[in-house]
Amino acid sequence: MTEQAQIDTLRTKAIAPRKLLIDGQLCDSETGQTDNVISPLDGSVLTTTAAGSKGDTERAIAAARRAFDDKRWRGMPPAARKKIMLRWAELIEAEMLDLAVLGVRNNGTEIGMALKAEPGSAIATLRFYAEAIDKVYGEIAPTPGDVLGLIHREPIGVVAAIIPWNFPLMIGAWKLGPALAAGNSVVLKPSETASLSLLRVAELALEAGLPAGVLNVVTGEGRVVGEALSHSMDVDVVVFTGSGATGRRLLQASAASNMKRCYLELGGKSANVVFADAKNLTEAAAVSAAGIFRNSGQVCVAGSRLLVERSVHDDFVAELAKAAKSMRVGDPLDLTTQAGAINNATQLAQNLSFVETAQAEGGTLYQGGQRVLEDTGGYFMEPTIITDVAAHHSVAQKEVFGPVLAVTAFEDEDDAIRLANSTDYGLAGGVWTSDLSRAHRMVREMHTGVVHVNTYGGPDVTVPMGGVKQSGNGHDKSLHALDKFLDLKTAWVKL
Ligand code: NAD
């Protein structure tokens, strides 16, 4: 059977109502309440999830605390923990297509991208951190001879991981991999609109041998479950990806409770800077189009601001518009689709209103701007290009999180740097040039966590990913991510 035929057999598979996972048991919410899960592909109700309450969340936190205190996980030999995490990755791999399709029906990402970025990336991430378990050492300090200074690295305790809708498995694994590898317990709170594949992956962790209570999952509303986690006196670390507004609430809750550490990954307004001396402007245009329009712009590092040197502005925008027009928007379960659905109706309405505001503020709607395929009942939008955008316009300052590209012309390198750094965000960016020195100058001057050079997107688990300024703090991926989940302890020993 072809891959497409396999996907087609899974696209209508019934999905049983999903429960919470607390202390190794699948259970209903204590209130018995459930939430409908709406498919962004056609607006239908896919299934229900348990609507977790404050009490459910507290039960999950207590289970995680017990699992941490009795050392059922952190006390296991590192090689045994590694084996369980590797087995977990294997089980996910065995269900890769099912998980990808389940995730797409829930969140709308095009399947071609989802296969790689969701189970594919989660598997690689879990393997990476599993392998790190028996390879990360403590340190011995260079002390005088009559003392011994040992630096231990210890798991911290209970971690709350709060996850958005756009890449639940990929981002989930970025948090779960290092948190669990470090020996902590976790309470995971998926997005209201993308929890199904994460719930299945958590069940697979149990199947792989992760002891009960080490990984708990509570679905439900952010203002209920998320608030209970962030205000808990018994959660030690919150790791979060999502909006700046929620990030602020997490910091406030931390200050108002036990001053838990908060590591935030909050959106961006990333500048993709194209110089006239770029080697191949046609290729740059095609990659730049994919860099904003894949997953219909619901990518935190999306190159949502295009800065183009004035001498090539008109030609480059025309080329990019051509590439955008040729992108196939539509059925996310078709392998040829290049831009899937918008995750939810509210986000779609927000995207469309950004287009209106952009024009009202002086931008020109160059291409797109409309909802499409409305008869499917799904949430689809054309790749949209707004030109004549000034640095102060909303569409240049605020994260749309949709397929909307803001284009601004620049005069020279200094002007490009000034514009690139002219937002409150600092997540990612891109530079297209054939001048090696200029490329490195731009990498230095762009105030962001990631800069792509002559490409856009693609960094793997070996490198850190995180922002500066209001894009947050704390990096996902790479061995550096382990630092969020390990405390340093000094032993100072008189010999
Ligand atoms: P959000 O911040 O509202 O939700 C993200 C997660 O936080 C979800 O699991 C949600 O339930 C939870 N949450 C919500 N309110 C909470 C609270 N008070 N306390 C604790 N947790 C809470 O973001 P969203 O609704 O998923 O998307 C809204 C906007 O966020 C988007 O338009 C986009 O701008 C941005 N976003 C960014 C990323 C990214 O990767 N940077 C991802 C998704 C969304």
Side-chain angles (χ1 to χ4, degrees):
M1 209 189 310
T2 63
E3 192 170 40
Q4 186 61 60
Q6 289 176 60
I7 290 166
D8 289 338
T9 61
L10 293 169
R11 68 162 69 226
T12 50
K13 191 172 161 185
I15 306 168
R18 306 313 305 262
K19 295 176 185 267
L20 310 174
L21 177 61
I22 300 179
D23 212 4
Q25 302 297 319
L26 293 172
C27 55
D28 293 320
S29 165
E30 61 176 6
T31 64
Q33 288 182 348
T34 58
D35 292 317
N36 284 340
V37 179
I38 310 291
S39 172
L41 281 59
D42 56 11
S44 66
V45 177
L46 277 177
T47 184
T48 60
T49 48
S53 66
K54 183 164 185 257
D56 295 321
T57 311
E58 284 167 354
R59 268 194 307 131
I61 296 168
R65 175 59 60 192
R66 278 195 302 278
F68 187 77
D69 286 349
D70 70 15
K71 302 188 192 162
R72 69 187 78 163
W73 174 239
R74 70 185 162 117
M76 252 186 215
R81 286 197 283 127
K82 177 170 101 172
K83 202 168 164 193
I84 289 171
M85 286 193 62
L86 288 175
R87 171 91 184 116
W88 186 19
E90 232 171 76
L91 293 177
I92 297 171
E93 197 164 39
E95 286 190 17
M96 196 161 159
L97 195 68
D98 294 58
L99 278 166
V101 173
L102 182 65
V104 167
R105 292 172 72 194
N106 195 176
N107 86 336
T109 300
E110 58 276 8
I111 186 76
M113 181 182 231
L115 276 164
K116 286 193 215 110
E118 280 286 275
S121 151
I123 293 160
T125 299
L126 294 178
R127 286 190 172 136
F128 181 87
Y129 290 108
E131 287 295 347
I133 290 177
D134 58 3
K135 293 175 191 64
V136 174
Y137 293 72
E139 295 165 41
I140 300 177
T143 57
D146 61 341
V147 286
L148 178 62
L150 299 177
I151 304 169
H152 296 264
R153 305 180 92 204
E154 297 186 334
I156 299 172
V158 175
V159 173
I162 305 179
I163 310 295
W165 79 63
N166 52 341
F167 293 104
L169 292 188
M170 177 172 80
I171 296 173
W174 289 352
K175 318 288 190 201
L176 294 178
L180 292 172
N184 298 283
S185 300
V186 178
V187 180
L188 176 70
K189 191 247 169 269
S191 164
E192 291 87 325
T193 57
S195 59
L196 301 181
S197 55
L198 264 177
L199 281 162
R200 178 64 192 144
V201 159
E203 285 172 16
L204 292 176
L206 285 182
E207 230 174 89
L210 192 74
V214 175
L215 173 58
N216 307 274
V217 188
V218 185
T219 45
E221 290 187 32
R223 64 182 179 85
V224 179
V225 179
E227 291 280 333
L229 287 169
S230 63
H231 281 95
S232 169
M233 297 299 285
D234 220 12
V235 167
D236 301 293
V237 181
V238 173
V239 281
F240 169 76
T241 298
S243 65
T246 304
R248 269 177 216 283
R249 293 187 71 89
L250 294 172
L251 292 172
Q252 283 163 347
S254 165
S257 56
N258 62 347
M259 296 196 279
K260 58 183 69 63
R261 286 165 237 185
C262 294
Y263 296 103
L264 311 174
E265 205 272 81
L266 316 168
K269 196 74 224 181
S270 300
N272 184 26
V273 184
V274 180
F275 287 95
D277 65 6
K279 198 166 105 198
N280 182 337
L281 286 169
T282 306
E283 187 198 326
V287 176
S288 298
I292 170 65
F293 298 128
R294 292 298 303 270
N295 201 16
S296 290
Q298 298 160 116
V299 179
C300 51
V301 296
S304 54
R305 281 186 301 146
L306 175 69
L307 307 181
V308 199
E309 193 161 358
R310 191 172 298 281
S311 60
V312 291
H313 174 277
D314 293 357
D315 288 348
F316 189 81
V317 173
E319 198 70 53
L320 192 144
K322 203 163 82 185
K325 195 142 213 141
S326 73
M327 285 179 84
R328 243 188 102 145
V329 181
D331 179 8
L333 288 172
D334 183 329
L335 279 164
T336 64
T337 292
Q338 291 162 297
I342 308 299
N343 177 261
N344 58 76
T346 310
Q347 183 69 39
L348 173 61
Q350 193 174 303
N351 295 348
L352 295 169
S353 100
F354 260 108
V355 175
E356 273 178 30
T357 308
Q359 294 175 87
E361 288 180 346
T364 305
L365 179 60
Y366 187 95
Q367 185 167 296
Q370 301 299 319
R371 179 178 185 177
V372 288
L373 303 170
E374 200 169 345
D375 55 333
T376 61
Y379 315 131
F380 299 95
M381 182 171 168
E382 293 174 294
T384 299
I385 300 171
I386 316 270
T387 52
D388 304 315
V389 173
H392 65 276
H393 289 176
S394 310
V395 75
Q397 290 295 327
K398 297 192 175 148
E399 184 177 49
V400 177
F401 218 60
V404 180
L405 178 66
V407 185
T408 306
F410 67 82
E411 308 304 332
D412 56 23
E413 196 175 308
D414 285 346
D415 195 29
I417 293 166
R418 181 186 64 77
L419 285 166
N421 291 334
S422 67
T423 76
D424 290 335
Y425 289 111
L427 188 55
V431 182
W432 297 85
T433 178
S434 52
D435 178 336
L436 187 65
S437 302
R438 165 177 275 168
H440 285 292
R441 281 197 301 274
M442 291 299 290
V443 169
R444 280 198 188 151
E445 295 300 326
M446 286 174 77
H447 199 190
T448 63
V450 180
V451 182
H452 307 89
V453 178
N454 293 330
T455 185
Y456 204 96
D460 66 18
V461 67
T462 57
V463 289
M465 146 83 196
V468 297
K469 294 159 71 181
Q470 289 184 34
S471 288
N473 59 347
H475 290 78
D476 287 317
K477 306 199 297 177
S478 84
L479 292 180
H480 293 286
L482 286 167
D483 294 342
K484 293 181 293 191
F485 305 105
L486 288 165
D487 267 335
L488 296 179
K489 180 191 275 176
T490 295
W492 188 255
V493 184
K494 179 89 178 86
L495 300 179

